[in-house]
Amino acid sequence: MIASFGEVLILSTLVFMLGAVCAASRRNLIMILVGVEIMLNAAGIALVGASLRWNVLDGQVFVIFIMAFAAAEVSIGLALIVYSHKRTGSVNADNYSSLKG
Amino acid sequence: MKTILAFILLLPLAGACFQALFGRSVTRRTAEAAACTAVAGSFAFALAASLAAWQQSFTLSFFNWIAVDNFRVAADVFFDPLSAIMAVMVTFVSTLIHIYSVGYMREDADYSRYFCYLNLFVFSMLVITLSDNLVFLFVGWEGVGFCSYALIGFWYADEVRAAAGRKAFILTRIGDVAFGVAIGLFFVRFDNTAISFINAHATELTTGAATVFGFLLLWSAVGKSAQLPLVVWLPDAMAGPTPVSALIHAATMVTAGVYLVMRLFPVVMLSPAAMTAIAAVGIVTAIYAALSALGQKDLKRVLAYSTISQLGYMFLAVGAGDIIGSMSYLLSHAFFKSLLFLCAGCILQGLHEQGDIFKMGGLRKHMPAVFWLFLAGALSLGAIPPTGGFLNKDRLLVSLFVNPDPMFRFFWGAGLVATFLTGLYTFRLFFTVFAGVEGEAVRDVRPVPPIMVHTLWLLAVLALVAGYFNLSPEWGGGEWLARYLAPVQGAVVNVDAGTEIGWRIAAGDGLLAVLAFLTAYVLYGPAKLSSSERLVRFSDGLRGLLISGFYLDALYQVSIVRPYRFLAKVLWSQVDERGLDQGIAESGRAVAGIGQGIRSWTTGRLSTYLGMLFLGFAVLACGLAFSYYVGF
């Protein structure tokens, strides 16, 4: 393996941070969803790296599960966003403030 | 026996319940008849039971009331000769007062409330009389307190009368505190609150403990029996209907205190200090009230002070260790005092509630029957020989004289002074009301119903002859009362001073009483003296002091009521409103402020929540990493 396990983890962390910042700082619901997807994939990278490091296939199995789960999540998430857009005419997260105390 | 005793208690209670529930839905005659029948029935049963109690006593239990661990309160009855005499007296006098009340309250629309309280009053007093258990007795004790409050303030629409009711209630409560403490201490000391048990084991007490109990019982009796320093409620208790005054003074209320001390006499007896204190309270009160009575202008207030004074005599006798003398004086006092009060009721109704005796005079012509009845009562109260009042007072004074403690010789002398004063105020009252020129109040005398007058003949006879039940053998009597009461623990049947000295003492106090009669005749009797001239003679320097009862009311007003009001105001406006209320409001506001602060965290913005979530994870991850590398 060319890249060491430490490097894989650093990459995974960077990608996770990118996704987190994207999810936390963007106001657009679709962009928040994209941020969440990126975070999931960052976790996938870390799992693949760990699977290679210890030569156990469990990590890769998990990654396949995560991909299936992400697909499902995106389909439901997008459906929710479409419905919300229909209801309020906007995809700006700040407009959904009915939980405000 | 159990059934009979139960009926004594239950009949008045049933009567009270009947009045409370159905009194307004039956006719007036039925309600009146029910009230009288309840008490008269109770009297019949009491009489029957007292015959059975000759030379023996019964302890019967009706039901358990409280049972926690070894603290047991049961509705027990301890029927001994002392309570038998008391129960018969209470029910008899109450019966006559009930019948009299039918006439007295004939124009009052609120008769069913009146009879309800009256029956309840009798019931409560009978509980005191018969109860074996101190806690059960306390129920009756508080019951008479409540009933006296309700009846003194019976015409509650009048502010003054309602205040008199409150005053009686509060002052008697001060005494009840001591009784409560005494019950607690009795339980601590004996593990039992039954009177019969305590009396049987009284000798196990040390003198110190007996002194504590003696003083506590004295304190509780002082409140109930209106002795110094708690006298001031009784003169004001005149605000109630007159038959209620008669009931309070003769049968149901004020005698409870002295009866309690007699009932627990085996405990009190052990402490010479407590005995002397009881006698001292008695004699000081007797003289104080007799002097105050001399200054009064109101018919009923004279009688009220005379009750206080005569109760002082009863305490004096208990203090001298002579409970039979005290009990027989209590009996004859019950007869003549209820007689005098009921006569006063007739007079007041006849004179349109004009109570000032200096506006009366010459009433003899208008109310001849009441004149004779009142005379019988006055002779007995003034202890003129050979009335019942004289004989019983003589026995009481002899027992003071023969007491070995030299202090009691002094009390005897003071008792003679009080005898003279008693005669003086009694006949001052009698002459100003009945003799002399007609005063302004007598111009328009309203006839009173015959039922009010003719009920009283029986009382008059008893008032005159009550002393003969207890005539000592040297006078040719059988001492029936003393022999009946002989089984009571601590009773001294015969107080013998020796025939010679006995005669001298009797001659001494008899002469004093006659002298008082003559003095009153000279001062107030002359037929030519008009009422206004008498008023001048009356208004000497002492008047203010005497009429106010030595300014005792004013003293309490200044020393207790005013500081209390001031304290109440400070507590209310400064501590309660400013301190507590505002403090609670401020802390509430502070909590609300914190809530407002926390509320602003929930922005409703998704990104903030997510950011916080990541921050939390970051902190957790840092913590985990730290613990992994540093190793806890």
Side-chain angles (χ1 to χ4, degrees):
Chain A
M1 205 170 94
I2 301 161
S4 69
F5 181 57
E7 287 161 350
V8 173
L9 278 186
I10 290 170
L11 174 70
S12 157
T13 311
L14 281 176
V15 174
F16 188 87
M17 295 292 282
L18 279 175
V21 170
C22 171
S25 60
R26 298 303 291 258
R27 300 279 176 278
N28 194 311
L29 283 174
I30 294 173
M31 291 316 288
I32 292 173
L33 204 61
V34 169
V36 172
E37 289 302 316
I38 291 170
M39 278 149 67
L40 282 169
N41 285 311
I45 292 169
L47 283 168
V48 170
S51 170
L52 288 173
R53 163 77 175 73
W54 281 287
N55 278 325
V56 180
L57 279 180
D58 291 5
Q60 299 192 10
V61 173
F62 262 108
V63 170
I64 291 169
F65 274 122
I66 287 175
M67 280 154 69
F69 163 73
E73 189 227 325
V74 165
S75 64
I76 291 172
L78 281 176
L80 276 172
I81 291 168
V82 169
Y83 174 72
S84 309
H85 185 257
K86 258 191 199 161
R87 210 161 65 100
T88 61
S90 147
V91 286
N92 190 342
D94 287 353
N95 284 356
Y96 299 94
S97 61
S98 56
L99 278 178
K100 189 177 163 138
Chain B
M1 196 64 199
K2 202 168 172 175
T3 327
I4 296 175
L5 287 175
F7 268 113
I8 298 177
L9 281 173
L10 288 180
L11 275 174
L13 182 64
C17 293
F18 175 78
Q19 297 293 341
L21 295 175
F22 311 111
R24 305 206 66 86
S25 51
V26 298
T27 64
R28 185 172 188 127
R29 282 277 159 264
T30 321
E32 286 164 354
C36 294
T37 316
V39 184
S42 181
F43 168 61
F45 282 110
L47 204 59
S50 69
L51 293 177
W54 174 259
Q55 300 297 337
Q56 56 180 331
S57 52
F58 302 87
T59 312
L60 299 170
S61 186
F62 288 113
F63 61 91
N64 261 329
W65 179 24
I66 303 170
V68 181
D69 199 10
N70 59 348
F71 180 72
R72 191 179 148 273
V73 177
D76 286 352
V77 163
F78 175 48
F79 195 73
D80 66 339
L82 188 72
S83 52
I85 295 274
M86 192 73 180
V88 170
M89 187 280 284
V90 167
T91 47
F92 172 72
V93 173
S94 305
T95 307
L96 291 185
I97 290 171
H98 273 72
I99 297 171
Y100 177 93
S101 295
V102 171
Y104 187 88
M105 299 300 280
R106 66 193 180 281
E107 281 157 10
D108 201 299
D110 225 354
Y111 59 91
S112 79
R113 182 164 62 95
Y114 176 81
F115 280 113
C116 172
Y117 287 148
L118 221 53
N119 275 348
L120 198 62
F121 211 162
V122 176
F123 165 72
S124 306
M125 187 64 196
L126 286 169
V127 169
I128 295 180
T129 308
L130 300 176
S131 168
D132 184 29
N133 196 297
L134 284 172
V135 180
F136 185 42
L137 192 154
F138 198 60
V139 174
W141 190 264
E142 294 300 308
V144 295
F146 163 73
C147 290
S148 64
Y149 156 75
L151 284 167
I152 292 167
F154 180 73
W155 290 307
Y156 54 82
D158 183 342
E159 177 58 34
V160 178
R161 296 177 196 273
R166 278 202 302 276
K167 189 174 175 184
F169 195 69
I170 291 166
L171 272 167
T172 47
R173 284 298 75 65
I174 295 173
D176 296 353
V177 172
F179 192 29
V181 174
I183 293 175
L185 287 182
F186 271 125
F187 180 70
V188 169
R189 184 66 191 72
F190 291 99
D191 265 356
N192 204 323
T193 51
I195 290 172
S196 48
F197 182 90
I198 291 170
N199 282 352
H201 294 79
T203 44
E204 295 166 13
L205 284 174
T206 59
T207 314
T211 308
V212 171
F213 283 124
F215 275 95
L216 283 173
L217 290 173
L218 172 64
W219 181 7
S220 31
V222 155
K224 211 55 142 190
S225 289
Q227 299 291 293
L228 281 173
L230 299 177
V231 290
V232 290
W233 67 269
L234 195 58
D236 283 6
M238 297 299 99
T242 307
V244 172
S245 307
L247 200 61
I248 288 176
H249 285 255
T252 49
M253 178 86 180
V254 293
T255 50
V258 68
Y259 177 76
L260 178 75
V261 180
M262 286 193 245
R263 191 85 154 149
L264 285 163
F265 189 68
V267 174
V268 181
M269 176 167 79
L270 297 171
S271 161
M275 295 285 275
T276 315
I278 291 172
V281 166
I283 188 65
V284 173
T285 311
I287 291 186
Y288 157 81
L291 284 172
S292 303
L294 264 179
Q296 299 305 313
K297 286 203 293 188
D298 188 275
L299 175 57
K300 283 169 77 182
R301 283 184 86 89
V302 178
L303 294 175
Y305 274 111
S306 104
T307 302
I308 297 171
S309 172
Q310 305 310 309
L311 281 163
Y313 269 111
M314 293 170 209
F315 274 93
L316 196 54
V318 172
D322 184 15
I323 55 171
I324 292 181
S326 185
M327 190 67 204
S328 58
Y329 197 65
L330 193 156
L331 262 187
S332 75
H333 175 261
F335 295 136
F336 63 66
K337 190 49 62 65
S338 56
L339 172 65
L340 287 172
F341 262 111
L342 297 179
C343 285
C346 294
I347 294 169
L348 289 178
Q349 282 214 336
L351 303 184
H352 306 276
E353 301 298 326
Q354 171 58 262
D356 188 343
I357 54 172
F358 292 100
K359 292 182 176 160
M360 300 179 193
L363 208 58
R364 183 184 168 182
K365 267 173 282 174
H366 299 279
M367 294 181 162
V370 175
F371 166 78
W372 288 111
L373 289 164
F374 201 93
L375 180 63
L379 285 175
S380 203
L381 170 60
I384 303 290
T387 57
F390 163 73
L391 290 168
N392 283 325
K393 200 175 259 184
D394 182 51
R395 146 115 199 189
L396 202 150
L397 288 168
V398 168
S399 67
L400 285 176
F401 188 83
V402 299
N403 196 296
D405 190 339
M407 195 69 188
F408 281 85
R409 197 57 67 83
F410 169 71
F411 289 153
W412 170 73
L416 285 181
V417 175
T419 307
F420 179 76
L421 291 173
T422 306
L424 199 59
Y425 71 69
T426 308
F427 292 105
R428 164 179 171 273
L429 174 68
F430 178 74
F431 287 128
T432 41
V433 171
F434 287 101
V437 183
E438 288 180 18
E440 54 183 286
V442 188
R443 306 245 160 81
D444 172 30
V445 178
R446 195 164 68 126
V448 292
I451 187 172
M452 280 170 65
V453 178
H454 298 303
T455 323
L456 307 183
W457 292 109
L458 200 54
L459 274 178
V461 172
L462 280 169
L464 288 176
V465 305
Y468 291 90
F469 300 148
N470 199 24
L471 202 61
S472 63
E474 55 191 290
W475 299 47
E479 273 192 329
W480 298 299
L481 188 65
R483 274 173 29 217
Y484 185 79
L485 286 174
V488 179
Q489 217 179 334
V492 182
V493 176
N494 203 339
V495 280
D496 201 1
T499 315
E500 184 73 10
I501 299 174
W503 276 104
R504 277 197 206 150
I505 292 173
D509 52 54
L511 272 177
L512 264 179
V514 175
L515 193 65
F517 174 84
L518 293 174
T519 315
Y521 183 76
V522 172
L523 285 176
Y524 300 99
K528 301 296 173 283
L529 209 61
S530 78
S531 50
S532 56
E533 276 169 307
R534 276 191 222 142
L535 197 58
V536 176
R537 186 171 290 187
F538 165 77
S539 59
D540 49 28
L542 275 175
R543 186 186 56 166
L545 187 64
L546 297 182
I547 199 166
S548 61
F550 293 85
Y551 299 116
L552 203 57
D553 256 330
L555 178 70
Y556 287 158
Q557 195 71 32
V558 173
S559 66
I560 294 169
V561 178
R562 242 180 256 163
Y564 183 80
R565 288 235 170 94
F566 175 74
L567 187 67
K569 196 165 172 247
V570 167
L571 285 176
W572 157 58
S573 65
Q574 301 296 319
V575 177
D576 188 48
E577 288 208 323
R578 195 166 290 176
L580 290 174
D581 281 5
Q582 232 168 49
I584 288 168
E586 285 302 321
S587 58
R589 232 166 274 149
V591 170
I594 294 169
Q596 286 289 349
I598 296 175
R599 206 185 94 176
S600 66
W601 294 359
T602 52
T603 54
R605 284 180 60 198
L606 210 53
S607 49
T608 322
Y609 294 165
L610 270 174
M612 288 295 163
L613 186 69
F614 291 138
L615 193 67
F617 273 129
V619 169
L620 264 179
C622 284
L624 276 174
F626 185 76
S627 65
Y628 181 76
Y629 285 111
V630 179
F632 281 97

